[in-house]
Amino acid sequence: MSRPTELNYLATHEWVKFIDETTAIVGITDFAQEQLGDIVFVELPEVDQEVTKGDQVAEVESVKTVSDIYTPFTGVISKINTELEDAPESVNEAPFENWLFEVSNITDKEELLGLEDYNKVVEEEA
């Protein structure tokens, strides 16, 4: 699977797509979902929840393990992808289309990676 060049990435295998300068959606990468295996449950954060960069805000449960998802931003959870509640496996089917949550009013963010740097992280871990 080719990874989208227009996204930003984190070394913890989340992807980020900015909607505007202070709003972004977050999902998990193809590498993350491959490592997890078949995803059977996704626990999403609460809308309007204030979050701080690095907070654990969601969980992705697979047949193998449970993985915590951290927010790369300080801000407010403005949306969640409720479709994942009934179809968590869609993250396996299309990880770059099935986002987990949106953060708005971003005031602080972790260092994000471009595609080339993220591919290096994956190569080191593979």
Side-chain angles (χ1 to χ4, degrees):
M1 172 179 289
S2 63
R3 297 183 182 103
T5 58
E6 70 276 7
L7 299 179
N8 290 291
Y9 298 88
L10 290 134
T12 52
H13 307 294
E14 289 91 9
W15 59 262
V16 171
K17 179 179 181 181
F18 282 93
I19 306 301
D20 59 39
E21 288 184 16
T22 62
T23 305
I25 55 176
V26 178
I28 65 171
T29 66
D30 57 330
F31 182 80
Q33 66 83 26
E34 287 171 9
Q35 296 300 304
L36 287 167
D38 293 334
I39 295 173
V40 296
F41 181 74
V42 177
E43 183 178 325
L44 299 169
E46 295 290 323
V47 172
D48 296 328
Q49 175 183 342
E50 292 185 14
V51 295
T52 302
K53 173 180 77 173
D55 284 354
Q56 186 265 328
V57 297
E59 285 184 351
V60 176
E61 183 177 333
S62 70
V63 294
K64 291 181 185 178
T65 189
V66 175
S67 183
D68 293 335
I69 306 298
Y70 301 90
T71 179
F73 307 112
T74 296
V76 177
I77 301 294
S78 48
K79 291 182 187 174
I80 57 171
N81 187 350
T82 56
E83 294 177 12
L84 297 180
E85 293 170 349
D86 294 327
E89 68 280 358
S90 61
V91 173
N92 289 114
E93 296 162 5
F96 294 111
E97 294 170 22
N98 290 291
W99 55 279
L100 302 177
F101 56 89
E102 178 183 272
V103 181
S104 61
N105 302 323
I106 295 170
T107 58
D108 189 18
K109 61 184 176 186
E110 293 202 18
E111 187 174 329
L112 302 174
L113 305 173
L115 179 58
E116 188 175 318
D117 289 332
Y118 178 69
N119 283 338
K120 290 176 186 174
V121 170
V122 171
E123 287 173 19
E124 291 172 8
E125 292 186 23

